[in-house]
Amino acid sequence: MDSHFTLELADEAATLAAGNDFSKSLHAGDVVFMHGDLGAGKTTFVRGILMGLGYNGKVKSPTYTIVEPYDFAQFDVYHFDLYRFVDPYEWDAAGFSEYFNHESICIVEWPEKAGELLPIPDYDIELDLLDKNKQVNGRKLTIFERIST
């Protein structure tokens, strides 16, 4: 069973705040999928998550590195961006499966690029531009949470 909620985010500050708020629901072992077009605010939302977890450093988009690790006392966070993958089997070849364990939180942008090779997420997050012509800064955030029964 899944539950979900939707918010409208006015700007970057609201996206950061939403990520910060969402961070309070995360636990070691969680998997989060991030969906949205280029420029929809996925990395900004992740920056808010990391800030909410207590990270004060620079948060880089992992578009070219594919994964950026963040070490916390209670767990590690791995932020993936699979945008550049052209074949799902690149996931296996890279050996990223080992990052998904009970001691880490994995946040994956563009999870569809890995096909069916990723674990089932605990959260599916969608960020959409309110105005595709970018004349309005707002975003629509929808968070789907998988509820185990």
Side-chain angles (χ1 to χ4, degrees):
M1 173 184 280
D2 294 343
S3 70
H4 77 280
F5 68 91
T6 300
L7 295 172
E8 284 194 11
L9 307 171
D11 53 22
E12 181 178 351
T15 305
L16 288 169
N20 189 319
D21 290 345
F22 175 72
S23 74
K24 313 292 186 268
S25 63
L26 292 174
H27 302 91
D30 282 348
V31 175
V32 179
F33 285 0
M34 300 287 302
H35 304 275
D37 292 334
L38 290 172
K42 296 179 299 296
T43 299
T44 300
F45 187 80
V46 173
R47 187 177 309 119
I49 291 172
L50 291 166
M51 289 169 46
L53 294 173
Y55 184 75
N56 295 317
K58 182 170 172 55
V59 176
K60 299 183 291 183
S61 172
T63 299
Y64 294 100
T65 59
I66 301 176
V67 63
E68 287 290 336
Y70 299 91
D71 299 324
F72 294 90
Q74 63 276 37
F75 47 71
D76 294 320
V77 174
Y78 298 101
H79 177 200
F80 294 89
D81 185 332
L82 306 183
Y83 179 74
R84 294 168 38 99
F85 275 23
V86 292
D87 185 314
Y89 293 100
E90 288 180 85
W91 176 259
D92 273 345
F96 291 136
S97 296
E98 67 189 49
Y99 291 87
F100 290 76
N101 58 60
H102 295 295
E103 291 85 39
S104 64
I105 295 172
C106 291
I107 305 169
V108 184
E109 294 186 34
W110 303 96
E112 60 277 7
K113 298 279 192 161
E116 301 295 319
L117 299 175
L118 293 175
I120 295 170
D122 299 288
Y123 298 94
D124 254 315
I125 297 176
E126 296 177 8
L127 275 159
D128 294 302
L129 297 170
L130 289 177
D131 179 1
K132 300 284 185 190
N133 296 321
K134 298 185 181 183
Q135 301 204 359
V136 176
N137 258 347
R139 312 280 192 271
K140 180 174 93 169
L141 168 72
T142 305
I143 298 177
F144 296 89
E145 178 181 8
R146 202 155 266 112
I147 311 244
S148 358
T149 53

